[in-house]
Amino acid sequence: MAAAAEEGEGVRLLGGRMSPFTMRARMALALRGVEYELVEEALHPRKSGRLLAANPAYGRIPVLLLPGGRAVCESAVIAQYVDDAWGGAGAGAAILPVDPYERAMHRFWTAYIDDKFWPALDAISLAPTPEARATATASTRAALKLLEEAFAARSNGGAFFSGGGGAASPGLLDVALGCFLPALWACESLNGLRLLDDDATPLLRAWSARLAATPAAMAVMPETEEVVAFTRFLQTKFGVAGSK
Ligand SMILES: N[C@@H](CCC(=O)N[C@@H](CS)C(=O)NCC(=O)O)C(=O)O
C-alpha cells in the first residue's frame, strides 16, 4: 500500500456503498493502492453533523477525510487529489495521463459525464411520465454516442479511456464513467432497455465489461439486483411509478 499523505490516523471516506460518486472515489483510491476506511453516511432522514461539517458547501457524499482533519469534497476532485497525493514508489498506476492535452480531455469529459450523462440516466428511472422517460432515454443515448466517440479518440486503441499505447490501467475518465455502470445496468433491467450495445456503442460495451472485471471495480460495484432494489426504493420515495 502507498504511504498516507500525512502521518497520524488513517484516511477515511464518508460515503455510501450504493452511491456512484462514492464508487468513483473508491476506485481512484484502489487504483493508487491507498488504504482507507469507508464510513457509511445515512443521508436520510437527516444528514450527520460530521458530513455537514466536512462538506458545508454541498453536504454531499463522498468526502475524503485526511489525517489531521482536512477534507476533500467532490468525487472528481477527490480522484485527482488521490492521484497527486499518492504517487511515488509503491503507488499504483497514475490516474491522470501525463500529457497536458490528455489531462484536459479527461477533465472535460468528466465534467460532461456529470453535467449531461448522469442527469439523463438518472431521469430515466425517476421520470414522472412515459414521455419524460422517453426524453431521458433519448438524451442518455445521445450522451453515450458522444462518449463512444470520446473513447475512440482517447483510448488510442487501448483497453481504457486512459489509452497510452496499450496501457492496461484505468484512469480518471474510466472511473468517472465507470462509477455509473451499476446504475446503467439496473436502469436497463428495470426499463427493459439496452443502452450499451454492439450496434450503437460497441467500444463502450466492450470497455464496460473490461472495466467491471478490474480489481478496483470488482471491489466496489454492487450487484445489479441490489441497485435495482435501491432504485425501486427511490421510485417509491419520490412517488414515481416504474415502467415495468
Ligand atoms: N458532484 C458531486 C455529487 C455527489 C452526490 O450527488 N452525492 C449524493 C449521493 S450519490 C448525495 O450526497 N446526495 C445528497 C444530497 O444531494 O443532498 C460529486 O461528484 O461528489
Side-chain angles (χ1 to χ4, degrees):
M1 290 288 167
E6 297 180 16
E7 297 300 325
E9 81 245 41
V11 172
R12 288 177 297 157
L13 185 72
L14 305 185
R17 232 175 44 78
M18 304 299 285
S19 148
F21 295 100
T22 302
M23 283 175 224
R24 178 184 288 172
R26 295 182 74 193
M27 282 194 271
L29 287 159
L31 287 171
R32 272 306 205 190
V34 181
E35 221 172 316
Y36 67 96
E37 178 195 354
L38 176 68
V39 180
E40 293 257 6
E41 283 289 329
L43 300 172
H44 307 285
R46 67 186 65 80
K47 295 172 183 175
S48 72
R50 174 178 53 198
L51 174 61
L52 295 173
N55 188 355
Y58 295 113
R60 288 178 178 159
I61 54 171
V63 179
L64 188 69
L65 290 182
L66 301 172
R70 293 188 301 167
V72 183
C73 304
E74 290 289 305
S75 59
V77 178
I78 293 171
Q80 293 174 68
Y81 174 81
V82 166
D83 198 36
D84 290 340
W86 280 280
I95 293 168
L96 274 159
V98 173
D99 179 73
Y101 184 76
E102 286 305 317
R103 291 168 79 86
M105 290 302 97
H106 271 239
R107 291 177 175 130
F108 172 83
W109 286 109
T110 295
Y112 176 80
I113 288 163
D114 288 358
D115 292 346
K116 296 288 184 190
F117 167 73
W118 168 241
L121 177 66
D122 197 31
I124 298 177
S125 297
L126 297 181
T129 62
E131 293 73 27
R133 184 171 297 125
T135 303
T137 304
S139 301
T140 303
R141 289 193 198 286
L144 284 170
K145 198 76 194 145
L146 277 184
L147 290 165
E148 174 85 359
E149 288 165 20
F151 184 88
R154 305 273 70 80
S155 65
N156 198 23
F160 298 107
F161 277 97
S162 39
S169 182
L172 176 64
L173 209 30
D174 296 282
V175 300
L177 184 59
C179 69
F180 295 118
L181 286 172
L184 182 144
W185 293 322
C187 176
E188 288 184 329
S189 164
L190 270 165
N191 298 287
L193 293 170
R194 288 310 298 264
L195 294 169
L196 284 183
D197 62 40
D198 285 333
D199 293 328
T201 53
L203 297 175
L204 284 186
R205 203 212 56 73
W207 161 84
S208 65
R210 271 195 304 273
L211 184 74
T214 61
M218 285 173 71
V220 303
M221 283 187 180
E223 294 296 324
T224 301
E225 279 318 306
E226 254 187 292
V227 189
V228 165
F230 184 66
T231 308
R232 287 211 171 99
F233 158 79
L234 292 178
Q235 287 176 328
T236 306
K237 184 172 159 223
F238 295 118
V240 169
S243 70
K244 294 209 305 184

